[in-house]
Amino acid sequence: MSTTEFTHEFNTPGYKGKVSFPTGIFIDGKFSAGGDGTTIDVINPTNGKVITKIAEGTTADIDRAVKAAKRAYHESWGLSVPGAERGKLLSRLADLMDEHFDELAALEALDNGKTYSWAKAADLPLSVGTIRYYAGWADKIHGQVIETSEDKLAYTRHEPFGVVGQIIPWNFPLMMMSWKLGPALATGNAIVLKPSEFTPLTALRMCSLINEAGFPPGTVNVVVGYGHTVGAAISEHMLIDKVAFTGSTLVGRKVMEAAAKTNLKNVTLELGGKSPNIVFDDAELEGAVNWSIHGIFWNHGQACCAGSRIFVQSGIYDKFLKAFTEKAQSLKLGDPFHTDSYQGPQVSQIQYDRIMDFIDSGKREGAKVHIGGERHGDEGYWIQPTIFTDTKPDMRIVREEIFGPVGVVIKFEDEADVLRQANDTLYGLAAAVFTKDITRGIQFAHKLEAGTAWINCVNQLHPNVPFGGYKQSGVGRELGEYALNNYTNVKAVHVNLGHTI
Amino acid sequence: MANVVQIAVPKSNSSIAVPTGLFIDNEFVPSVDSKETIKVFNPATESVLCEITAASEKDIDVAVASSRKAFRTTWGKNVTGVERSRLINKLADLIERDAQTLAELESLNNGKPVKVARDFDIGDSVGCLRYYAGWADKITGESIEIDRKTKVAITHPEPIGVCGQIIPWNYPIQMWAWKVAPALAVGCTIVMKPSEITPLTALKLSELVKEAGFPPGVLNTVPSLGSVGGAALSLHKDVDKVAFTGSTITGRKIMEAAAKSNLKKVSLELGGKSPHIVFESADIDQAANWAALGILYNTGQDCTAGSRLYVQDTIYDKFLAVLAGKAKELIIGDGFDEKSGGGPVVSKGQYDRVWNYIEAGKKAGARVVCGGEKRSTPGYYVDATIFADITADMKIVQEEIFGPVLSVGKFHTEDEAIALANDTTYGLAAGLHSTDAAQCHRVSEALEAGTIWINQYNLLYNNVPFGGKKQSGIGRELGRNALDEYISVKAVHWNYGEKLDWPL
């Protein structure tokens, strides 16, 4: 068993300091090399260079992790540990995340490319807040007592599944980890979690904090590896009772298939989106512009709920487009650690290539590049904020999820038409409506086929408000009390007190 | 008079600094119009610990005005659930930090052993605060479909407002936590009147409320006589809700005052004469342990005390002998003595009351199985006293004694046990011991009490609701249910599509 230390000296305008923490395959509270002894390069997206190498997890490592999780679940977690105790550990973890707030934000910016400012303003508070929120739920997992007849006592228990597999993406690495750990641990499950191979650093840092918080070894196991090996191993594992996946719809299908083919494990999915952002004539213009910018350019467009189809009513179209364009052009692209940078590089070469391919397809299919459409800079994966206009509904850039700083702006005339266009997608993650007429806003919100409807805002998330997709954007809800349902299995207990047969 | 007194800690060189003023707007202040003080006693030595300011009716007005202002500006709907959660958790951390000091002060004023105060009263109180801190950002309303086209109805669970909270002397810190935690979690502000017999820990806890960072006026502390402060709060036109724990007699007065003044919301946690039933299938040794706990814990000064014990005739003699042995094993002594499992009763007044009942029991012809004799040494001590051969009409069987005095009766059938158990105007708790599952279910269904213990007694948990049926109370504390006592539901009917035709 060897452990490696990742050490990095930050000397940036935003963050200065040395970080040092163990990395490896984290199973049973200990770090080790991967089953095959191979490693994965962690790449700095600002320059394409290797930051460090970390151990690559294998199928055998997943077997080891599941064994450890099962043992922990039966001996030192699960139903042996009262909720108040689970809550206390989660609170302690949140406290530790607070103590290492800046460090975690810096690691996230280094690994993912998002700006340090955004990591501190959004990722970290929501991550810590989510863990703290679920700490409060841990001793409040109630079943019901249900009246049937005089000679029976019937009640339900909301029991944990046991060992749950969790597969998270690279766009909000720490935040996605928190959304998964919070409800799963609060309800008493043991976890085998696969971070994205593109962004493993904050997940690995969390492993040490999980130990320090006092979670019994084996409660949380973290195995970094590739989707087609480690991810598949989780989805197919006969001893994992539930899998939760966040990522693309394409891979989500594979997860669900694998679950169906093996042990019919419970599946929740949080997938992609092509969320409509609808701006009516009577919208408050400045607000609509600012929110729409946030809707598509926040996190470099790498958000599942990005408002990537911006529908603007004809009466306000010209004014909106002008202001929206000016705002987009004012966004500062730069080093993630410079305090005035708004947008860093895309997360990887692969993503960069995908997005540029979409942009090319837009050009080829006859859409107009209003601004952007090109690479920014000479090294790293920056892409200019890009706006397409004059699109047709069947274009790839209008139908498919781009996951980059690329928005399409579409003019519309009447309500019925925009509603039809907004819902004309196999996705259904989110939607936003901008109007001063709150009656229209609410009516629209109710008719949009999406799991989150924002009225006069966009991309707003809270630990206690549920989030998830309609249609092919997902199955189940994260956040809020609702997420607890993803991690509990209901047992109905019938106690016969006198019925003879 | 001095604002802070130093109270010496026995068997040590240290002392505890206790503020003696009224705690209003995060400061300790004198009364606005009165020089009255309250003498605070040590029940183990019968000596005076110190004197504190007694709040007058005018002081109550000042406190209420301060809490109203806080509710309108810095608390109530002006603070998020996340922030309320953070502050309540911080308060819990501070109480945990100061647990030893608070336990010593509690023991000096109330008499209970230091280790019991620290590990049970304070341990559970910290857990209670943390439990409700967890609820603070989870108080959700509902959205209710009307016609799915033109309207939606949503409910907002709003904080009731300014709450008067009146707590007793038997578990000063723990009763404080049970009241404060859910009220703050929901967003109410509080005017807290601790018992005039045991006000010291409430004053010390007020320091921690300020240290935790609660805005001024969110919690005000106004020790006073029940007839002054308690009455003033119950009658106050600007108090939205009063929560009281204490005797049934006082509970009536509070409810009357609420009705006569502004119909403020009332929750009451009152007395009990809880029955404890031992069936023949019970594990006798275990049942005797739980029965001893039931009447001797906190020296019997517990609203849920299992003060009427009914034993099935087939095991009666055997059980009584075992129980008497258990009772004699408990050492009742000074709270700072490591050997003590229980302390004196809290005051001269209580001492006299309990002994009056013991004399009444003897006069009525009940048989003294153990105890029943006064000590000759100082301190308000009452030793475990068990009466047998009781009849239903005896005072000791009907009235709440609130001391370590147990009445033991006999029954033949299950139905007889249930009838005896339910033959009381109280309905706070009940216990039963049996290894027959169907019997456990039948009897627990039939007993008229808010808490039923099966094969145990006395143990409560912060996440399970607690309260009385019949004249033992109104409303529930602990668990999710306690939140409802501090919430006022507002239903909002939002029309976004219906046009009204006129005339009808």
Side-chain angles (χ1 to χ4, degrees):
Chain A
M1 293 279 207
S2 61
T3 65
T4 10
E5 284 261 320
F6 169 61
T7 305
H8 187 87
E9 184 82 46
F10 284 94
N11 189 9
T12 74
Y15 182 76
K16 288 191 196 333
K18 177 164 163 218
V19 305
S20 186
F21 57 91
T23 65
I25 307 302
F26 181 71
I27 295 176
D28 227 5
K30 297 191 280 284
F31 294 91
S32 70
D36 291 344
T38 45
T39 59
I40 294 176
D41 289 343
V42 181
I43 307 287
N44 184 333
T46 63
N47 56 22
K49 298 202 172 69
V50 175
I51 300 170
T52 187
K53 292 179 189 301
I54 52 148
E56 178 193 349
T58 63
T59 311
D61 292 315
I62 292 299
D63 279 336
R64 259 200 317 127
V66 172
K67 268 202 189 65
K70 264 259 180 267
R71 199 212 68 248
Y73 176 73
H74 286 294
E75 291 176 12
S76 50
W77 196 241
L79 299 168
S80 328
V81 176
E85 177 65 18
R86 298 198 296 269
K88 225 163 148 194
L89 292 173
L90 281 164
S91 270
R92 180 90 190 100
L93 181 59
D95 288 343
L96 288 168
M97 290 168 77
D98 259 335
E99 277 172 38
H100 296 271
F101 194 95
D102 289 357
E103 180 194 332
L104 286 164
L107 280 170
E108 197 80 308
L110 175 70
D111 202 359
N112 167 283
K114 68 180 69 209
T115 65
Y116 178 62
S117 308
W118 271 116
K120 285 219 294 184
D123 298 56
L124 261 296
L126 201 49
S127 300
V128 180
T130 299
I131 298 287
R132 242 185 242 302
Y133 174 76
Y134 285 106
W137 270 121
D139 57 356
K140 303 172 176 66
I141 314 292
H142 300 171
Q144 296 181 0
V145 172
I146 303 159
E147 288 287 322
T148 51
S149 63
E150 271 294 292
D151 51 13
K152 170 171 285 193
L153 169 65
Y155 62 94
T156 58
R157 281 164 57 96
H158 290 199
E159 301 184 347
F161 274 101
V163 177
V164 303
Q166 304 184 316
I167 303 167
I168 58 176
W170 46 256
N171 57 344
F172 296 94
L174 183 64
M175 202 166 93
M176 294 294 99
M177 190 184 196
S178 305
W179 287 20
K180 295 281 184 287
L181 292 185
L185 291 173
T187 48
N189 295 279
I191 297 169
V192 176
L193 184 140
K194 177 191 114 48
S196 166
E197 61 272 27
F198 290 101
T199 53
L201 294 183
T202 44
L204 291 168
R205 184 71 186 92
M206 283 287 278
C207 294
S208 301
L209 299 185
I210 285 165
N211 273 351
E212 200 182 330
F215 286 90
T219 316
V220 179
N221 304 283
V222 176
V223 181
V224 183
Y226 294 104
H228 62 273
T229 54
V230 168
I234 288 174
S235 310
E236 293 163 4
H237 209 285
M238 293 300 286
L239 298 179
I240 289 180
D241 304 301
K242 185 256 163 40
V243 64
F245 169 82
T246 297
S248 69
T249 295
L250 197 77
V251 178
R253 288 178 189 290
K254 293 189 185 155
V255 171
M256 202 177 198
E257 262 189 72
K261 283 183 170 146
T262 52
N263 66 346
L264 274 175
K265 56 173 66 58
N266 185 288
V267 178
T268 48
L269 304 171
E270 210 268 275
L271 308 175
K274 193 70 182 181
S275 303
N277 217 43
I278 304 166
V279 182
F280 282 101
D281 280 345
D282 72 341
E284 190 270 300
L285 182 64
E286 194 186 343
V289 166
N290 290 341
W291 283 113
S292 299
I293 291 281
H294 185 62
I296 184 54
F297 296 122
W298 176 51
N299 214 44
H300 326 170
Q302 301 169 130
C304 44
C305 49
S308 46
R309 289 180 298 149
I310 302 159
F311 295 95
V312 187
Q313 202 163 27
S314 54
I316 202 181
Y317 182 88
D318 292 331
K319 267 210 239 141
F320 177 91
L321 186 59
K322 181 164 181 291
F324 185 63
T325 304
E326 272 165 23
K327 198 74 202 241
Q329 285 167 326
S330 78
L331 299 175
K332 192 147 192 322
L333 275 63
D335 184 285
F337 287 92
H338 288 172
T339 46
D340 57 355
S341 296
Y342 174 91
Q343 181 178 326
Q346 306 305 121
V347 77
S348 67
Q349 183 70 56
I350 294 174
Q351 283 305 115
Y352 173 88
D353 291 340
R354 266 191 92 232
I355 298 162
M356 293 309 290
D357 183 59
F358 271 110
I359 291 173
D360 284 338
S361 84
K363 291 172 182 170
R364 274 196 317 272
E365 290 187 304
K368 171 157 175 264
V369 177
H370 189 72
I371 57 160
E374 304 294 333
R375 185 187 195 189
H376 170 91
D378 298 319
E379 58 166 6
Y381 315 127
W382 276 271
I383 295 178
Q384 296 170 344
T386 301
I387 299 172
F388 278 103
T389 56
D390 300 340
T391 60
K392 291 209 177 42
D394 57 349
M395 290 178 177
R396 280 187 70 207
I397 55 170
V398 179
R399 304 213 67 74
E400 296 177 40
E401 185 181 40
I402 300 173
F403 228 65
V406 181
V408 302
V409 179
I410 300 168
K411 193 189 294 191
F412 75 92
E413 290 295 339
D414 67 79
E415 285 188 27
D417 181 45
V418 76
L419 182 64
R420 187 194 55 74
Q421 286 191 65
N423 285 338
D424 181 23
T425 164
L426 35 83
Y427 290 113
L429 189 55
V433 183
F434 292 87
T435 172
K436 284 203 196 91
D437 178 354
I438 203 64
T439 296
R440 172 159 64 184
I442 290 181
Q443 284 178 324
F444 244 71
H446 292 192
K447 290 179 192 161
L448 286 161
E449 292 160 6
T452 294
W454 285 298
I455 301 178
N456 293 331
C457 62
V458 77
N459 277 348
Q460 294 294 283
L461 302 164
H462 309 271
N464 56 355
V465 181
F467 176 84
Y470 276 35
K471 298 162 37 177
Q472 294 188 36
S473 283
V475 173
R477 289 292 172 273
E478 299 202 271
L479 301 182
E481 185 180 355
Y482 294 76
L484 300 173
N485 294 334
N486 297 343
Y487 292 99
T488 48
N489 222 348
V490 178
K491 172 186 288 172
V493 181
H494 300 240
V495 186
N496 181 13
L497 300 162
H499 177 93
T500 49
I501 197 168
Chain B
M1 55 175 281
N3 268 336
V4 176
V5 294
Q6 293 292 338
I7 297 187
V9 178
K11 304 187 177 187
S12 86
N13 285 329
S14 61
S15 64
I16 302 172
V18 180
T20 60
L22 308 174
F23 182 72
I24 299 180
D25 272 338
N26 276 6
E27 296 301 333
F28 289 95
V29 296
S31 163
V32 291
D33 65 347
S34 157
K35 295 264 179 282
E36 296 282 314
T37 62
I38 293 172
K39 281 203 176 71
V40 184
F41 289 86
N42 177 336
T45 61
E46 305 184 27
S47 58
V48 174
L49 287 168
C50 64
E51 288 181 38
I52 58 157
T53 308
S56 68
E57 207 181 307
K58 198 97 199 358
D59 293 315
I60 300 296
D61 281 338
V62 172
V64 171
S66 147
S67 291
R68 173 64 60 196
K69 179 156 178 243
F71 185 72
R72 283 215 170 103
T73 57
T74 56
W75 203 246
K77 294 188 211 179
N78 305 297
V79 65
T80 62
V82 171
E83 176 64 4
R84 296 196 301 269
S85 178
R86 187 186 71 80
L87 289 170
I88 299 171
N89 268 322
K90 182 86 181 117
L91 180 58
D93 289 344
L94 294 175
I95 294 174
E96 199 170 50
R97 180 194 70 189
D98 294 351
Q100 181 65 26
T101 304
L102 287 165
E104 288 164 355
L105 191 58
E106 187 87 314
S107 180
L108 283 166
N109 197 181
N110 166 283
K112 67 179 74 201
V114 174
K115 67 181 183 217
V116 172
R118 185 191 58 228
D119 298 340
F120 295 109
D121 296 49
I122 293 172
D124 287 347
S125 298
V126 169
C128 180
L129 285 160
R130 291 199 172 124
Y131 174 75
Y132 285 104
W135 270 123
D137 60 351
K138 301 174 179 62
I139 299 171
T140 51
E142 295 182 300
S143 78
I144 303 161
E145 278 301 332
I146 308 296
D147 61 4
R148 290 185 184 276
K149 283 204 308 280
T150 62
K151 294 184 185 175
V152 70
I154 53 180
T155 60
H156 285 300
E158 301 188 336
I160 284 181
V162 175
C163 301
Q165 300 188 321
I166 303 166
I167 57 175
W169 46 257
N170 56 344
Y171 297 93
I173 294 175
Q174 196 161 10
M175 292 296 99
W176 188 93
W178 284 20
K179 292 276 185 291
V180 161
L184 292 179
V186 170
C188 291
T189 56
I190 299 168
V191 178
M192 165 69 72
K193 185 199 105 48
S195 165
E196 59 270 33
I197 299 176
T198 54
L200 300 184
T201 45
L203 289 166
K204 204 87 180 101
L205 288 166
S206 301
E207 289 179 333
L208 299 183
V209 167
K210 179 175 181 180
E211 191 185 338
F214 286 90
V218 170
L219 193 156
N220 292 316
T221 306
V222 285
S224 56
L225 298 179
S227 54
V228 177
L233 281 171
S234 312
L235 284 165
H236 210 287
K237 291 272 172 57
D238 203 25
V239 168
D240 303 301
K241 183 240 165 53
V242 65
F244 170 79
T245 295
S247 69
T248 296
I249 255 180
T250 308
R252 290 179 188 285
K253 292 187 189 156
I254 297 203
M255 200 177 189
E256 265 188 69
K260 282 185 171 142
S261 54
N262 64 344
L263 274 177
K264 57 173 62 62
K265 314 292 168 284
V266 178
S267 55
L268 304 171
E269 209 270 275
L270 308 176
K273 192 71 183 182
S274 301
H276 205 159
I277 306 171
V278 184
F279 289 96
E280 61 189 5
S281 69
D283 175 332
I284 289 190
D285 191 67
Q286 272 301 294
N289 284 351
W290 290 110
L293 183 72
I295 190 55
L296 299 179
Y297 188 67
N298 215 40
T299 317
Q301 301 170 115
D302 192 307
C303 45
T304 59
S307 49
R308 291 182 296 140
L309 184 68
Y310 296 106
V311 185
Q312 197 149 27
D313 50 10
T314 44
I315 55 164
Y316 180 81
D317 292 321
K318 181 165 181 218
F319 186 85
L320 201 46
V322 174
L323 180 60
K326 302 285 184 189
K328 289 186 187 128
E329 282 172 15
L330 185 71
I331 297 175
I332 293 183
D334 185 280
F336 283 79
D337 187 339
E338 272 295 307
K339 292 196 308 295
S340 297
V345 297
V346 78
S347 68
K348 181 84 170 59
Q350 284 304 115
Y351 178 84
D352 290 339
R353 261 190 97 231
V354 174
W355 280 106
N356 281 341
Y357 275 111
I358 293 175
E359 293 310 319
K362 290 175 182 173
K363 252 207 210 75
R367 174 166 58 96
V368 178
V369 174
C370 69
E373 295 303 322
K374 279 189 183 177
R375 296 187 189 183
S376 55
T377 46
Y380 305 129
Y381 289 101
V382 182
D383 289 301
T385 300
I386 299 179
F387 283 105
D389 304 342
I390 57 170
T391 54
D393 58 342
M394 290 178 177
K395 270 185 76 176
I396 54 166
V397 179
Q398 294 196 345
E399 297 179 28
E400 186 181 38
I401 299 172
F402 229 67
V405 181
L406 180 67
S407 301
V408 185
K410 200 186 285 196
F411 68 90
H412 185 57
T413 64
E414 180 184 295
D415 283 343
E416 200 192 328
I418 291 169
L420 284 166
N422 286 339
D423 181 23
T424 166
T425 55
Y426 290 113
L428 189 55
L432 69 104
H433 295 265
S434 163
T435 51
D436 177 343
Q439 177 172 62
C440 289
H441 180 70
R442 269 194 317 270
V443 176
S444 69
E445 288 279 288
L447 288 168
E448 293 161 2
T451 292
I452 311 290
W453 281 294
I454 300 178
N455 294 326
Q456 58 186 316
Y457 205 83
N458 240 344
L459 301 183
L460 296 173
Y461 300 95
N462 290 312
N463 57 354
V464 181
F466 172 81
K469 287 181 185 276
K470 293 155 69 172
Q471 295 188 34
S472 283
I474 294 175
R476 289 292 175 270
E477 300 200 89
L478 302 184
R480 198 202 185 296
N481 301 64
L483 298 171
D484 292 333
E485 306 295 342
Y486 293 96
I487 288 171
S488 177
V489 176
K490 172 185 285 175
V492 176
H493 297 247
W494 197 319
N495 177 16
Y496 55 87
E498 181 187 336
K499 303 245 183 286
L500 183 67
D501 284 333
W502 192 259
L504 300 171

